Amino acid sequence: MKTTKRILDLEEKSSISIKQERKYFSNGINININIGRPKSPILDSFFSSFHLTKQKSTTTATIITTTTNVSSTTPTSESSSQGQKPKPEGKCPFPLTIDCLEEIFSHLIDDKLTLFSCILVNSLWLNLCIPLLWNNPFDYSIPQKNQLRLIRTYISCLSINDKQKLLKFYLGNKEDNDSIKKTKKRKSLSKPFKFNYFYQKDPLKYSQISLHHEPLFIYPKYLRGLNYNNFDSAIKNYCYWNRPLINPLTDSLDEYKNLVFELLNNLIFNNNNILLKHLRLKFSKEIRTLLHNNDYYIDNNEINEINSNNDNNNNDIPIMITGINTFTRLTTLDLSYMYSSEISKIIPQQISNICSHLSTHSTHIQCLTIYMQKWWEDDFKQQVCLSIFNLIKSQKYLKYLSINEFWNTNYNNFNNFDNTTIEYFNKFYQILLENTSNTLEYLQFYELNRFDLLLNILGNLKKLKSLEIKKLVKPNNFSNFNYNSFKINNLSLSKFDCNYNNPFENFYVVKNPSHDSIIINSFISPIIKSSNKSLESLSLSKISKDLLSTITLNCPNITNLSLLLDPTLIPDFCALLVSLPKLHSLTIKKSFYRLSFNYIDFKNLAINLPNSLYYFKTDLFDNSKSLNYFLETCNIDVKLGVLEIYQQLVNDDTLNAILNYKKKSNDKLKTFKYSGSRIMFNDQTWELTKKILPDLVKIDWN
């Protein structure tokens, strides 16, 4: 947040006197900048190649550099007396080229603070780092004040003609503004925002500042990632806080919003110099989407008219218009639509139009995330399904796919799917088989019902390394399901996550216990057996004695293991631990929150932990005594460095148990994370523990 503010401050200060300052920012010219070194340890190695001369009157350093070399301005007295050529002090024997600097800075793209420090070094570093700082300004939610400044900066990058349109709008409403100032101050529609003070003081001046100054850079051309919802929200906030410019008794505010949306959307999506690589879009009725061209805009009234129109003619909604190159390099796409109280006809049309456009112009997407609200109406379902399926089908290098079964509206009716739903299931898995078998590496389902169809093609996904199922739906009818008919060949998964059982569900009361054995024997076990001992990460929310034996025999290389456990499986689980010499991370949770483990269980777990274990997370300990007993019993050779626990009561006894173990393990324990229903610490105990174990963190359990 603070870095965004600093970047905007730098832009505003620099652009005020840009005509006088630009001569100092031209490439290839020596620059003297009296600044301190960037306060980042990452840059220490870079600055070792620069010559820093001490100044008598100041403690700051004078950096003297060019785009090709770094040299000193004064010779040493020794070299002068001998009549030899002066040897520059601190000269880098192997100066970094621009290509090397670009490669280095590219690894700092997520470290905005360091990049901000880099732009203060010289003109070369400035020109290399500004594109990285402005490549995705709307990625995260930012404070309202910075949203306004971001939009204002983007407006300053508009063409002269577009700026004149905004200026004409302002001047056209000047008389209205004068009349408003003479009347009583109107009551705010909401609690005044502290930043509103500047608008109330001189709104016209503040709002028009971006129309009259030239920016230091054309920032939109550096845009590579866009969260469209944050972008949309920032524009709305900008227009809202500029409302003193508008006569509230007229519809000028809506006209102003439409104008700003149109100009900025055209700036981004109709600009061939902008090559987006990452796009995130969450559909809703409220969002002003990309579905407009220069002459047409969909407002709320038109949406209501479209929704009230019962005919099937969708020609009233314009097709998305973008520049030729805008989406040609798109590699990451995230499309979602969450439930709303009213299903709008405009939403399926938006999804259809955008997916159709991307199917034609974006065929190199590598990471695709799709989560759509289910539609019960056949027309809407068909429109959405076909457009998304075509988008997946058009991709040539798809590596990551995360999707939900948005076409499935027949939950818990395994053998009673309607023909249309069955057709969509078959079409989806056929597309996966025919178009992604040689490229797909990561596959995630938010929920999975027809896992038999997945098993049929799983062995043909030759490069699949990770399979993650957030929710494996339990069908109610397995009468015609032959779970012994599936055989998977050539599967080389390194990660398999499958969540099936709800930890708050009564473990011992299941309507049909055969469901559990069918899920385990027909889906989970075949995948583990077919993994060719390549699994390194395994997370399961439902296990059995036979499944633990299967894991023991087929997964010797596991480094990360997460399971839901009950006391009856402790002996088999301990046998599994002994067979995992590379285990680095272990998460054990109760399969049912009312289960209770005894001291014999804790002892078996403690003595069988592999020495390679570094991270341990659990909620098995009901109290501090059981935790202390477990830690005292642990083998001293275990390399446990991070312990994360959940207890009903976390108190001084818990901290004392941790301190005793840290002393026993010769300070191997570096981090303790805790969570609980009640947390009660004595100040003295807390301060002592914090002094001995600084990394003491309270967390939210999940």
Side-chain angles (χ1 to χ4, degrees):
M1 302 302 180
K2 293 182 179 179
T3 307
T4 303
K5 181 180 181 299
R6 292 178 182 177
I7 297 170
L8 293 168
D9 287 340
L10 179 67
E11 155 58 26
E12 292 178 358
K13 291 178 182 178
S14 302
S15 57
I16 292 175
S17 57
I18 185 174
K19 293 182 179 179
Q20 290 79 14
E21 299 288 341
R22 267 201 169 164
K23 60 182 180 180
Y24 297 110
F25 291 95
S26 57
N27 289 335
I29 299 179
N30 290 354
I31 322 169
N32 294 339
I33 308 177
N34 291 327
I35 58 171
R37 290 178 60 176
K39 298 180 180 180
S40 172
I42 301 178
L43 300 178
D44 288 344
S45 59
F46 303 162
F47 276 88
S48 63
S49 64
F50 287 89
H51 173 60
L52 303 176
T53 60
K54 295 182 179 179
Q55 299 182 357
K56 296 181 180 179
S57 58
T58 63
T59 58
T60 57
T62 301
I63 304 174
I64 304 173
T65 183
T66 66
T67 57
T68 56
N69 57 35
V70 181
S71 62
S72 173
T73 57
T74 58
T76 61
S77 59
E78 182 181 355
S79 60
S80 300
S81 62
Q82 295 177 356
Q84 298 177 355
K85 293 182 179 180
K87 296 182 180 180
E89 296 180 2
K91 181 178 180 180
C92 179
F94 303 102
L96 293 176
T97 63
I98 294 179
D99 291 339
C100 291
L101 288 173
E102 286 181 341
E103 178 65 23
I104 292 170
F105 292 143
S106 67
H107 292 278
L108 302 176
I109 192 168
D110 295 324
D111 190 349
K112 302 299 183 184
L113 184 59
T114 299
L115 286 175
F116 179 79
S117 298
C118 291
I119 66 177
L120 303 176
V121 175
N122 57 38
S123 63
L124 174 61
W125 285 36
L126 173 71
N127 284 281
L128 292 178
C129 293
I130 282 294
L132 299 177
L133 282 169
W134 284 85
N135 76 324
N136 197 354
F138 302 97
D139 188 24
Y140 304 103
S141 57
I142 55 179
Q144 216 167 23
K145 182 176 179 179
N146 289 343
Q147 284 184 356
L148 309 183
R149 299 173 71 185
L150 274 173
I151 297 301
R152 191 177 62 191
T153 301
Y154 264 51
I155 288 177
S156 70
C157 299
L158 291 171
S159 65
I160 295 178
N161 292 334
D162 289 341
K163 288 181 180 179
Q164 287 177 346
K165 290 181 181 179
L166 283 178
L167 184 59
K168 182 179 179 181
F169 185 90
Y170 283 119
L171 296 178
N173 290 276
K174 186 175 181 181
E175 295 180 0
D176 294 335
N177 293 319
D178 294 338
S179 63
I180 292 173
K181 290 180 180 179
K182 293 179 181 178
T183 59
K184 294 172 69 175
K185 292 183 179 180
R186 60 186 180 87
K187 293 183 178 180
S188 177
L189 298 177
S190 59
K191 186 177 180 180
F193 177 50
K194 63 180 180 179
F195 193 64
N196 197 31
Y197 165 78
F198 297 102
Y199 294 97
Q200 294 173 349
K201 185 176 180 181
D202 196 351
L204 194 61
K205 177 180 177 181
Y206 190 87
S207 298
Q208 282 190 285
I209 188 172
S210 60
L211 303 177
H212 298 294
H213 80 274
E214 185 180 0
L216 189 61
F217 295 91
I218 305 300
Y219 298 102
K221 74 177 183 180
Y222 303 129
L223 189 67
R224 295 296 178 265
L226 178 63
N227 185 323
Y228 192 84
N229 296 79
N230 290 345
F231 175 66
D232 176 271
S233 176
I235 295 178
K236 289 179 180 177
N237 285 331
Y238 177 85
C239 295
Y240 176 78
W241 290 111
N242 277 278
R243 67 187 186 279
L245 294 174
I246 313 300
N247 188 341
L249 302 178
T250 68
D251 294 331
S252 300
L253 180 58
D254 290 335
E255 295 176 7
Y256 177 51
K257 288 181 180 179
N258 292 347
L259 179 60
V260 174
F261 270 100
E262 178 183 345
L263 295 179
L264 292 184
N265 272 291
N266 287 336
L267 177 66
I268 294 176
F269 296 104
N270 292 337
N271 189 340
N272 287 326
N273 293 323
I274 296 178
L275 303 175
L276 284 178
K277 291 185 177 180
H278 313 284
L279 176 62
R280 178 177 295 177
L281 176 59
K282 179 180 177 181
F283 296 95
S284 69
K285 286 181 60 177
E286 291 75 20
I287 190 172
R288 295 174 182 266
T289 66
L290 328 173
L291 301 175
H292 70 278
N293 54 32
N294 295 335
D295 302 319
Y296 193 98
Y297 192 84
I298 299 179
D299 60 21
N300 291 331
N301 293 330
E302 290 174 282
I303 290 177
N304 293 332
E305 290 178 4
I306 292 173
N307 288 333
S308 62
N309 187 6
N310 293 325
D311 59 22
N312 295 324
N313 183 10
N314 294 323
N315 295 327
D316 295 333
I317 304 175
I319 301 300
M320 185 171 69
I321 306 297
T322 66
I324 298 174
N325 300 323
T326 304
F327 292 121
T328 55
R329 297 189 183 181
L330 195 66
T331 59
T332 303
L333 177 63
D334 187 340
L335 300 178
S336 63
Y337 170 66
M338 303 302 291
Y339 176 80
S340 61
S341 58
E342 179 183 357
I343 296 180
S344 171
K345 185 178 179 180
I346 193 69
I347 301 297
Q349 187 62 52
Q350 287 177 351
I351 297 172
S352 177
N353 286 348
I354 290 180
C355 289
S356 298
H357 182 88
L358 295 178
S359 298
T360 304
H361 297 90
S362 305
T363 59
H364 294 74
I365 296 175
Q366 296 182 12
C367 300
L368 180 59
T369 301
I370 297 173
Y371 188 91
M372 294 291 166
Q373 177 65 34
K374 296 175 173 60
W375 280 272
W376 297 91
E377 292 82 358
D378 291 337
D379 292 341
F380 291 172
K381 186 161 61 171
Q382 181 180 9
Q383 189 176 23
V384 172
C385 290
L386 295 180
S387 60
I388 292 178
F389 288 167
N390 287 334
L391 175 62
I392 299 174
K393 187 177 181 180
S394 65
Q395 303 311 312
K396 300 177 181 178
Y397 306 104
L398 189 61
K399 295 182 178 180
Y400 177 108
L401 177 61
S402 179
I403 195 169
N404 71 315
E405 294 178 342
F406 54 86
W407 60 88
N408 175 25
T409 55
N410 298 82
Y411 268 125
N412 297 327
N413 272 323
F414 188 82
N415 290 314
N416 295 314
F417 291 117
D418 59 81
N419 293 332
T420 304
T421 301
I422 294 175
E423 181 182 351
Y424 290 144
F425 269 114
N426 293 332
K427 188 173 184 62
F428 170 73
Y429 285 104
Q430 183 180 2
I431 290 174
L432 283 187
L433 180 61
E434 295 178 354
N435 298 276
T436 68
S437 59
N438 295 318
T439 61
L440 195 63
E441 298 178 2
Y442 179 96
L443 180 59
Q444 181 189 71
F445 290 93
Y446 287 97
E447 75 270 345
L448 179 66
N449 198 318
R450 290 295 303 270
F451 59 81
D452 56 321
L453 297 179
L454 175 62
L455 288 174
N456 282 332
I457 69 163
L458 202 56
N460 296 312
L461 302 179
K462 302 175 183 178
K463 293 191 175 182
L464 189 66
K465 299 298 181 183
S466 177
L467 176 62
E468 184 174 349
I469 300 163
K470 295 287 188 181
K471 180 181 179 182
L472 186 59
V473 181
K474 297 186 295 186
N476 282 333
N477 191 348
F478 269 112
S479 58
N480 298 324
F481 184 64
N482 184 5
Y483 56 85
N484 293 318
S485 61
F486 299 108
K487 293 183 180 179
I488 309 172
N489 299 319
N490 302 320
L491 189 63
S492 56
L493 284 178
S494 60
K495 180 180 179 181
F496 179 39
D497 292 356
C498 182
N499 292 315
Y500 165 54
N501 186 53
N502 184 348
F504 296 102
E505 179 183 14
N506 193 325
F507 185 82
Y508 298 103
V509 180
V510 181
K511 293 181 180 180
N512 191 346
S514 64
H515 288 178
D516 296 337
S517 61
I518 291 176
I519 290 289
I520 291 174
N521 295 330
S522 63
F523 182 69
I524 298 177
S525 288
I527 291 178
I528 293 176
K529 291 178 181 178
S530 305
S531 62
N532 296 319
K533 298 184 178 182
S534 61
L535 273 177
E536 297 178 0
S537 179
L538 179 63
S539 177
L540 301 174
S541 61
K542 187 66 176 179
I543 59 174
S544 64
K545 183 176 180 179
D546 292 339
L547 183 57
L548 286 173
S549 300
T550 301
I551 298 173
T552 303
L553 294 174
N554 296 277
C555 304
N557 297 313
I558 286 182
T559 58
N560 297 282
L561 180 63
S562 177
L563 299 175
L564 294 188
L565 198 63
D566 72 273
T568 61
L569 297 175
I570 287 293
D572 300 280
F573 178 70
C574 290
L576 171 62
L577 289 179
V578 174
S579 67
L580 302 177
K582 300 179 182 179
L583 188 63
H584 180 268
S585 174
L586 176 62
T587 299
I588 308 174
K589 296 182 181 180
K590 297 178 181 178
S591 57
F592 180 54
Y593 72 98
R594 291 184 179 178
L595 291 177
S596 180
F597 292 76
N598 57 40
Y599 279 79
I600 297 177
D601 297 330
F602 295 138
K603 181 179 180 179
N604 289 333
L605 284 174
I607 63 177
N608 287 289
L609 289 180
N611 294 339
S612 59
L613 186 65
Y614 181 80
Y615 174 89
F616 183 40
K617 176 179 179 180
T618 185
D619 63 353
L620 301 185
F621 308 114
D622 294 328
N623 50 57
S624 301
K625 290 183 179 180
S626 57
L627 172 64
N628 185 61
Y629 178 79
F630 172 81
L631 294 177
E632 287 181 350
T633 314
C634 276
N635 191 336
I636 195 173
D637 294 328
V638 176
K639 301 176 182 179
L640 186 60
V642 180
L643 177 60
E644 185 173 338
I645 68 165
Y646 173 87
Q647 288 182 178
Q648 290 292 329
L649 174 62
V650 182
N651 55 17
D652 292 346
D653 293 336
T654 305
L655 296 183
N656 290 329
I658 297 300
L659 291 178
N660 292 336
Y661 177 75
K662 182 175 176 62
K663 183 178 180 180
K664 169 190 170 183
S665 64
N666 297 321
D667 291 334
K668 292 178 184 176
L669 186 66
K670 304 299 181 185
T671 303
F672 176 56
K673 301 179 181 180
Y674 61 91
S675 181
S677 302
R678 292 187 298 160
I679 299 176
M680 302 171 61
F681 291 139
N682 181 280
D683 292 340
Q684 268 187 336
T685 308
W686 167 261
E687 291 175 1
L688 175 63
T689 307
K690 192 70 176 177
K691 184 177 180 180
I692 300 175
L693 186 63
D695 200 356
L696 185 63
V697 185
K698 179 183 177 182
I699 59 170
D700 293 326
W701 187 256
N702 55 15

